[in-house]
Amino acid sequence: MDIVTRPRILVVGAGFAGVGCVRRLERALSAAEADVTLVTPFAYQLYLPLLPQVASGVLTPQSIAVSLRRSKKYRTRIIPGGAIGVDLKSKVCVIRTITDEIVNEPYDYIVLAPGSVTRTFDIPGLTEHAFGMKTLAEAAYIRDHVISQLDLADASHDPAERTSRLQFVVVGGGYAGTETAACLQLLTHNAVKRYPNLDPSLIKWHLIDIAPKLMPELGDKLGRSAQEVLRKRGIDISLGVSIAKAGPEEVTFTDGRVIPTRTLIWTAGVVASPLIATLGAETVRGRLAVTAEMNLPGNDGVFALGDAAAVPDEAKGEQGAICPPTAQHAMRQGKVVADNVIATLRGRAMRPYVHKDLGLVVDLGGTDAVSKPLGIELRGLPAQAVARGYHWSALRTGVAKARVLTNWTLNAVAGDDFVRTGFQARRAARLKDFEYTDSYLTPEQVRAQIEGPGSETA
């Protein structure tokens, strides 16, 4: 008797793109049509744009970690781990589970949405001494670290130690870096009022970027407005400058300045997940080259989207234009990819991804923001209303929306208690400890893992 198996759809990554795809598949496919599996270390979707507000204590970590198991239509099998290699010929994905077990997961269709990792350079001491702002753990850890610097500075009798603990450096003048510096500066500005022994003038925030402009995507006027807001708060902004080297108690800028600091936050861009390099396929600036339908040319049943894929931007109508790695595009690409997987299953034609950018929002904390919805430039409270309204509406569940709205209200009314959770009570952790970029396999290692006698197939 022949056993007919259902097609196996494997989705890698639980970011905006991956979750958008899975949710669409669950709603549009019957249980009998296909089995859906999701590979992710955590059973939640992280709302990345609000990480700076977690670091500054405006939001709790749980409020932006949207559970994948709340859906009433939930039927996806979740493998708790990360994909570390894919063999397109064998149609097998190699997964390292959270217990470090290596598993070979076969598939019929694969959707690659592994996202991105923090872009680093060969700067002495960078990965050993810098913090990132890419994961929920990093945001919570940075909050603990910043508050602990105030605690330690308050208790210290050494002026040099106080100086180094009360200076903070953020590298990266994009949205992540600008919002991080803005939100954390407000945290220290408000917290120092609880430390009568500390001179508020000793607290100094530095925001640096090698680019000549802050957030150039916003345009000159809004970019200058954001700079004015930050400079009025006392944040020192240095453009055309980067890091030459980093140490445990000081950072050297490329212009020769040496800043005594125990806090270096690195947000200088992202690159596609190292998983993409294991495929041996064509890339565009590190992102997997795909068609407008987001499938990999010459490989049936292989799709890629989000930060890890160079998806053609059909809405721009420019030759070679690709979609920027933003949540706005990722959420919509996830739905289109799901529809194209289903179309392939049912023998129908796929459709290309086309989306006109809706604009940009930058929340600078408090009542400050700059936004450009549909090309309209806004500043101050109107921009803040648009920024928070956009983020609130983009949260996937009603529970998440309720939590975020409650957090915003409580913070506005009652402020912050500046409590440390104890994340860094014993051992310090830095950039290299949160993003496991050294866990991926080479194409040769992937092949050996699949063909090896000790390999295990799930």
Side-chain angles (χ1 to χ4, degrees):
M1 180 177 177
D2 292 334
I3 298 175
V4 179
T5 59
R6 291 186 293 271
R8 298 162 297 188
I9 302 173
L10 181 65
V11 180
V12 176
F16 291 105
V19 171
C21 176
V22 166
R23 287 292 172 254
R24 186 77 145 214
L25 291 172
E26 288 180 332
R27 287 174 171 80
L29 285 174
S30 68
E33 281 188 276
D35 292 327
V36 181
T37 300
L38 176 65
V39 180
T40 174
F42 310 104
Y44 61 74
Q45 177 196 345
L46 177 64
Y47 192 84
L48 270 170
L50 291 178
L51 272 183
Q53 295 193 33
V54 170
S56 63
V58 174
L59 298 175
T60 61
Q62 188 183 11
S63 63
I64 67 167
V66 186
S67 173
L68 300 180
R69 301 186 187 276
R70 268 193 175 273
S71 172
K72 292 181 180 178
K73 292 184 178 293
Y74 169 76
R75 59 183 176 84
T76 297
R77 168 177 165 244
I78 296 178
I79 300 178
I84 57 174
V86 178
D87 189 289
L88 299 176
K89 184 178 179 181
S90 302
K91 290 194 171 185
V92 172
C93 179
V94 181
I95 298 165
R96 187 190 301 275
T97 71
I98 58 174
T99 55
D100 279 336
E101 180 186 4
I102 305 297
V103 176
N104 295 341
E105 181 71 19
Y107 63 83
D108 297 299
Y109 300 87
I110 188 168
V111 177
L112 298 168
S116 57
V117 297
T118 301
R119 179 181 61 183
T120 58
F121 300 98
D122 190 19
I123 298 172
L126 177 63
T127 58
E128 291 83 9
H129 302 296
F131 300 100
M133 182 61 79
K134 197 76 174 63
T135 68
L136 193 60
E138 283 176 313
Y141 188 93
I142 286 174
R143 173 177 165 80
D144 262 22
H145 172 80
V146 169
I147 295 174
S148 73
Q149 298 313 296
L150 299 180
D151 289 342
L152 291 165
D154 183 63
S156 176
H157 298 291
D158 181 354
E161 181 186 354
R162 279 194 170 191
T163 298
S164 67
R165 292 197 183 280
L166 296 179
Q167 291 210 72
F168 307 88
V169 177
V170 179
V171 183
Y175 305 113
T178 302
E179 290 187 334
T180 296
C183 290
L184 287 174
Q185 185 276 332
L186 278 184
L187 168 67
T188 56
H189 173 76
N190 293 324
V192 76
K193 298 171 186 176
R194 313 282 181 89
Y195 296 82
N197 295 325
L198 289 182
D199 180 358
S201 66
L202 292 177
I203 297 177
K204 188 71 175 179
W205 281 87
H206 302 265
L207 175 60
I208 71 172
D209 196 298
I210 196 66
K213 296 179 181 179
L214 203 65
M215 297 179 295
E217 298 88 346
L218 281 175
D220 290 342
K221 290 183 179 179
L222 285 183
R224 283 197 299 270
S225 295
Q227 285 191 53
E228 288 171 9
V229 169
L230 299 184
R231 281 186 169 135
K232 283 180 181 177
R233 293 189 193 170
I235 298 176
D236 181 72
I237 300 173
S238 300
L239 300 175
V241 176
S242 189
I243 296 294
K245 62 179 179 178
E249 297 182 9
E250 66 178 28
V251 171
T252 304
F253 292 177
T254 52
D255 62 5
R257 282 180 291 166
V258 178
I259 306 297
T261 182
R262 311 290 181 101
T263 308
L264 171 62
I265 301 173
W266 179 268
T267 63
V270 297
V271 293
S273 166
L275 177 68
I276 298 305
T278 73
L279 275 68
E282 181 184 353
T283 59
V284 177
R285 295 197 289 274
R287 299 164 72 183
L288 195 62
V290 296
T291 66
E293 292 77 20
M294 292 173 284
N295 67 312
L296 184 63
N299 291 270
D300 293 337
V302 179
F303 299 83
L305 66 163
D307 291 8
V311 179
D313 195 343
E314 299 284 291
K316 281 190 175 179
E318 300 174 7
Q319 185 70 25
I322 61 176
C323 296
T326 62
Q328 183 182 148
H329 281 287
M331 285 188 289
R332 290 164 176 81
Q333 288 171 3
K335 295 176 182 178
V336 175
V337 156
D339 290 342
N340 286 343
V341 171
I342 294 167
T344 305
L345 269 170
R346 296 173 178 172
R348 299 174 184 170
M350 296 186 292
R351 65 183 175 99
Y353 171 74
V354 182
H355 170 66
K356 188 174 182 181
D357 206 299
L358 298 176
L360 305 165
V361 296
V362 182
D363 190 332
L364 300 175
T367 58
D368 295 317
V370 289
S371 301
K372 197 175 182 180
L374 302 174
I376 302 169
E377 295 187 349
L378 300 173
R379 300 166 181 79
L381 278 174
Q384 181 69 282
V386 169
R388 294 205 169 181
Y390 173 79
H391 290 315
W392 185 81
S393 64
L395 291 164
R396 194 171 48 79
T397 67
V399 172
K401 290 179 179 180
R403 285 192 178 121
V404 166
L405 189 59
T406 301
N407 284 177
W408 278 338
T409 303
L410 281 173
N411 186 265
V413 173
D416 193 340
D417 285 330
F418 311 109
V419 173
R420 287 188 286 122
T421 58
F423 266 110
Q424 54 132 38
R426 292 289 178 185
R427 177 180 174 271
R430 296 295 187 268
L431 192 78
K432 65 184 180 67
D433 299 306
F434 287 102
E435 296 188 53
Y436 305 104
T437 53
D438 57 351
S439 298
Y440 296 86
L441 306 180
T442 65
E444 294 75 22
Q445 289 172 326
V446 172
R447 192 79 232 150
Q449 164 63 27
I450 293 169
E451 295 176 348
S455 64
E456 177 185 343
T457 300

